[in-house]
DNA sequence: GATCCATGTGTAATCGATTAACTACTGCTC
DNA sequence: GAGCAGTAGTTAATCGATTACACATGGATC
């Protein structure tokens, strides 16, 4: 910057003003400065600027698993929305591990992100408290924690799950296997509670960890137990369940009915196509980014609760008539 | 930091030395400082540190499309490798747009990443030159650019594609539709060249843009043209092609054979499972991260060329006997 | 006891920007 | 022509760390 100033025959203060669009410099000086910048190929050091202004124009996003297309889509949406407001997003991958999540959150705070979007790995509120205590705006995404005091953005699948339950029961299934998420996540618990609640005593629940492998294992256990219908509570566990069903040579929907929470672009391509509870991922990501930006700007955004929809495609068989 | 120093009754220099594991401070002083840090909940400001040391312990990764599971896997691998060396990764999503790519690259440079991993959207070398000129280490990943002067990490699919061609020809296909990537990307061109080369005059090529929608359109055009076999040059276009095949009620492999470049966890679940050319994504990501770290440490890593493998699953029909 | 070395700590410059406070100049009014 | 307002630009403090150099202390050496 000093070089630029010298080159243009002005002080660094003037260069800075030109860069930041201040009113002061004359068009003529501005011209000279811009020319010098161009000529020297100067690019301002964002670190120095942030250090001085205490604003990095960056949001932190800590997600549970980048390989889960659900989160990848969310990340993408967050990024789009953030960028359209001049913010950058730094993504941290927690791998469904509370420990790694904490590490990432701290790293991001150390780098002074202006705000944090968090998909908490567990419902333990201590990490969120720690961040809030540090005065950094936080918004929770997809999942919440116990006694959360920050805005939460998530999808409500109750209606869809209730409708799903009605159909399964209506179709005469009496042993319905539920491949549930970890009980220490809000989504894991809530979805399962709603579904089993609506199923009366017909549900058998096995907990997985939101990953493919656990989906296969849970499916195996449930099928061994005589389940005639399976509901997987996220797309990766759904993938695992599908694998297990195929491995056993079972036919959907005749041998076993299947529904999955979270839609995927390839679900319609299966034979039969898979019935799902689809979450509005893009809207969730955008809404979360908007809430966080509002928080950063000193507003108090409300919680956002979007609605997940049941999409019937055929994998429930007669239950869908 | 000043507070900590005061609290411990030492100078900021000593605090800094404790933090950085210098030899100097006595165990006793160290103890006092650590206690003060603990008590005040002090966390060092990474911006300030980086400004002073000119090192951010951060790698930039600009990928073509986060929603493409191929790149998501790569991103994940890069991140793992980087973290194990104490580095953080900032991901930028270029959305297959050269413009957005350039924006992201510049943003990352402004933030003084220690090095850059780039999956270039086009084979135009100017952006890479710009970065190199700025003295920032770069490694190209998956794709290369014309006259690249930096290390490149990619997968070689020649063998697999040649084998694939042999099978298709052997099975008697005479109109083989190739859903190619954009001709201005190295992977788009090379894969297509190898395949059409081995197919003699039997190939009909339609170019897509590595996205699902273009895959459907290309498939439609090729099927209209009487193709009895389709090869999609990346997984998203493969997804699109599958959709088009299903939409027309065609059976794989009887009505049309299909092979896709890039494997996906759900390909084995289709009926029939899809034959693919599988790239070693995880190894690519790790290797790229390693090369970049080596470059940062002043070494001159060689290009890495991993091998993609043909995985036969049945979607080629008799061609696979 | 003077000299020297080793060791632990403090002082202050530095990284590259922003910005409050100040100065210099121009032009206007009375 | 003195006084004043307004504008353009400069000087220097600041953000929060690192680190070269200076300094103080204590013990070993002759």
């Amino acid at each position: 910057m000093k070089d630029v100033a010298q080159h243009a025959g002005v002080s660094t203060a003037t260069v800075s003003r030109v860069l930041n669009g201040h009113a002061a410099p004359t068009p003529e000086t501005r011209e000279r400065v811009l020319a010098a910048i161009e000529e020297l190929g100067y690019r301002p050091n964002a670190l120095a600027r942030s250090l001085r202004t205490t604003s990095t124009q960056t949001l932190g996003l800590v997600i549970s698993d980048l390989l889960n297309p659900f989160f990848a889509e969310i990340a993408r949406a967050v990024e789009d929305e953030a960028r359209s407001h001049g913010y950058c997003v730094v993504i941290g991958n927690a791998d469904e591990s509370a420990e790694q999540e904490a590490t990432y959150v701290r790293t991001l705070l150390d780098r002074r992100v202006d705000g944090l979007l968090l998909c908490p790995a567990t419902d333990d509120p201590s990490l969120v408290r720690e961040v809030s205590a540090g005065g950094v705006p936080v918004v929770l995404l997809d999942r919440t924690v116990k006694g959360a005091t920050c805005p939460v953005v998530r999808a409500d699948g109750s209606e869809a799950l209730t409708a799903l339950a009605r159909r399964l029961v209506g179709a005469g299934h009496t042993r319905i296997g539920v491949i549930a998420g970890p009980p220490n996540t809000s989504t894991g618990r809530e979805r399962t509670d709603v579904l089993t609640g609506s199923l009366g005593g017909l549900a058998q629940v096995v907990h997985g960890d939101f990953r493919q492998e656990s989906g296969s294992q849970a499916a195996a256990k449930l099928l061994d137990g005589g389940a005639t219908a399976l509901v997987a509570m996220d797309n990766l566990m759904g993938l695992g369940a599908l694998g297990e069903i195929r491995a056993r040579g079972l036919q959907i929907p005749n041998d076993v009915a299947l529904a999955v929470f979270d839609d995927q672009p390839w679900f319609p391509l299966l034979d039969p196509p898979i019935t799902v509870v689809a979450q509005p991922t893009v809207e969730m990501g955008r809404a979360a980014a908007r809430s966080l930006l509002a928080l950063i700007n000193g507003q108090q955004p409300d919680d956002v609760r979007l609605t997940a929809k049941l999409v019937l495609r055929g994998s429930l068989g007669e239950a869908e008539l």
Side-chain angles (χ1 to χ4, degrees), chain A:
Chain A
M1 181 156 158
K2 237 183 285 178
D3 296 346
V4 173
Q6 214 156 16
H7 214 80
V10 297
S11 73
T12 60
T14 304
V15 175
S16 174
R17 289 200 185 103
V18 169
L19 255 72
N20 295 298
H22 267 250
T26 49
E28 186 190 329
T29 341
R30 179 184 306 275
E31 202 58 39
R32 272 217 318 286
V33 171
L34 290 176
I37 287 177
E38 178 72 22
E39 186 167 347
L40 298 178
Y42 164 80
R43 304 238 73 205
N45 183 321
L47 296 176
R49 185 209 297 273
S50 295
L51 179 58
R52 187 58 236 253
T53 59
T54 64
S55 138
T56 50
Q57 297 293 101
T58 302
L59 307 182
L61 168 63
V62 178
I63 59 178
S64 315
D65 183 3
L66 238 194
L67 289 188
N68 187 331
F70 168 69
F71 288 113
E73 261 178 67
I74 286 203
R76 166 70 191 284
V78 167
E79 220 221 339
D80 273 358
E81 185 71 26
R83 189 180 31 240
S84 80
H85 292 270
Y87 278 76
C88 219
V89 177
V90 181
I91 301 173
N93 203 43
D95 242 337
E96 298 284 0
S97 134
E99 211 175 315
Q100 215 166 104
E101 173 181 277
T103 312
Y104 248 116
V105 167
R106 298 211 181 92
T107 308
L108 292 173
L109 294 188
D110 286 353
R111 289 166 194 238
R112 298 303 190 260
V113 292
D114 293 342
L116 198 63
L117 285 168
L118 187 57
C119 307
T122 75
D123 54 11
D124 178 358
S126 54
L127 188 61
V128 176
R129 291 234 180 84
E130 185 183 325
V131 179
S132 297
V136 178
V138 204
V139 169
L140 297 181
L141 180 46
D142 180 49
R143 307 177 185 170
T144 185
V145 298
K146 284 182 203 149
T149 55
C150 53
V152 181
V153 174
R154 49 184 166 160
D156 183 351
S158 315
E159 252 178 74
L161 286 171
T162 313
L164 174 61
R166 205 176 311 127
R167 279 172 195 273
L168 288 170
V169 174
H173 289 284
T174 54
R175 287 172 164 259
I176 299 167
V178 178
I179 305 176
N184 65 345
T185 62
S186 66
T187 48
R189 226 182 17 252
E190 288 169 11
R191 291 176 195 169
T192 308
D193 287 354
V194 170
L195 184 62
T196 54
S198 330
L199 285 176
L202 310 180
Q204 294 177 290
V205 178
V206 174
H207 286 277
D209 62 2
F210 283 142
R211 275 184 291 204
Q212 181 174 353
E213 182 56 23
S214 74
S216 314
Q217 289 167 1
K221 214 176 290 182
L222 291 164
L223 290 172
D224 286 343
T228 59
L230 292 180
V231 180
M233 285 312 187
D234 97 320
N235 73 76
L236 291 184
M237 295 193 299
L239 177 56
L242 260 166
E244 183 65 24
I245 291 172
R246 284 276 193 276
R248 295 183 174 217
L250 299 176
Q251 293 299 317
I252 301 175
N254 295 339
D255 300 329
V256 58
L258 177 69
V260 177
F261 206 100
D262 286 349
D263 199 4
Q264 286 299 304
W266 50 274
F267 279 158
L269 298 179
L270 293 179
D271 186 25
I274 305 297
T275 288
V276 299
V277 175
Q279 302 191 70
T281 47
V282 173
E283 258 323 302
M284 286 171 71
R286 299 199 97 94
R290 273 197 300 269
S291 290
L292 184 55
L293 290 170
L295 206 54
I296 290 173
N297 292 322
Q299 300 161 35
Q300 283 297 330
D302 291 327
D303 285 5
V304 176
R305 190 120 204 176
L306 299 160
T307 315
K309 289 206 191 74
L310 181 62
V311 181
L312 299 170
R313 296 209 177 104
S315 62
L316 298 183
E318 59 219 282
E320 300 191 34
L321 301 180

